Amino acid sequence: MPQAARAVAPQSPILLREQVGSIAVLTLNRPAARNSLSEGLIAELHGALNEIRDDGAVRGVVIAANGPAFSAGHDMKELTARRTDADRGRAYFAEIMNACSAMMQAIVRLPKPVVAAVQGVATAAGCQLVASCDLAVASEAASFATPGVDIGLFCSTPMVALSRNVPRKQAMEMLLTGEPIPAETAQSIGLINRVVPVGTEREAAIALAQKVALKSAYTVKLGKEAFYRQAEMSLAEAYRYAAEVMTENMMARDAEEGIGAFIEKREPKWQDR
């Protein structure tokens, strides 16, 4: 008789998604690979963000991770395997870097708040992921680094998000030395919002997202987009643009309701328009 086929255990999903009230929790689930951002995980994250964009049941997002590391950045084994390509991997490297950059921008462009819940180390593109989120909560045990310089690969794409979150001198020190910084330092330079006891970062991030979710979704969408757009403008351009946004916002039903509720000393009833 032929030998019975050995049962193959199903692979765990590399990205988990659950709904906690109105908050979608996306959990990186490659703990054995320190949640490195493989081609597959980048695509899964980007796909989930696209689904969430138009999902009316979701008013906020938390990005968390399983295992001891939040994310160790790009999957170096995956990248190195393409050195044998005819072009020594150039086309594939460009594809991955552009795909990762597009996913990071999808976080910024999502019309809903995105909060990182960091339980361990966040390095290179993992640090970039934290910096790309609107808000971040970290465990006391978390640490952050852009150590590409140590392996001859400067963290140029992580630099984009990092330099838009922290002062230049601090960003340059992280990029040039590659040395990790603890959660307390990350908070002091503006990379993260809060430091919480070990094991509570996920719940704290969800609670922070839920706090924002109580606001008008229309107002949050308008404000988040305006925040990132004005940051790239000159002072005069930013004020002109912000005045246009506030004028548009004043015409919204939720602004009329919210101002009325404030004057009448009652709770507003949002319609998200």
Side-chain angles (χ1 to χ4, degrees), residues 147-231:
V149 69
D150 294 335
I151 60 169
L153 182 66
F154 198 82
C155 284
S156 298
T157 45
M159 171 184 70
V160 175
L162 181 67
S163 64
R164 282 162 168 73
N165 276 254
V166 308
R168 289 189 178 190
K169 290 293 190 293
Q170 281 77 13
M172 284 297 285
E173 183 173 348
M174 289 181 69
L175 291 161
L176 291 173
T177 68
E179 293 179 355
I181 61 171
E184 291 79 6
T185 302
Q187 182 184 30
S188 71
I189 65 175
L191 181 57
I192 63 174
N193 298 87
R194 300 178 184 178
V195 180
V196 297
V198 174
T200 67
E201 60 284 338
R202 184 177 181 275
E203 289 70 26
I206 291 171
L208 185 55
Q210 287 173 330
K211 186 174 292 188
V212 181
L214 295 174
K215 317 302 181 185
S216 159
Y218 171 81
T219 303
V220 169
K221 173 184 176 181
L222 202 69
K224 176 175 172 175
E225 180 183 7
F227 178 87
Y228 290 112
R229 285 189 63 184
Q230 66 80 30

Side-chain angles (χ1 to χ4, degrees), residues 37 125 133 202 244:
L37 298 176
C133 291
R202 184 177 181 275
E244 292 172 5

Side-chain angles (χ1 to χ4, degrees), residues 5 39 50 62 65 86 115 129 134 148 158 182 194 232 237:
E39 179 181 1
N50 286 341
V62 166
V115 186
L129 182 58
D134 305 305
R194 300 178 184 178
E232 304 302 321
E237 289 173 328

Side-chain angles (χ1 to χ4, degrees), residues 34-35 67-73 118-123 126-127 130 141-145 180:
R34 296 171 64 80
N35 293 311
F70 176 77
S71 176
V118 188
Q119 87 289 11
V121 296
T123 59
C127 186
V130 176
S143 62
F144 305 82

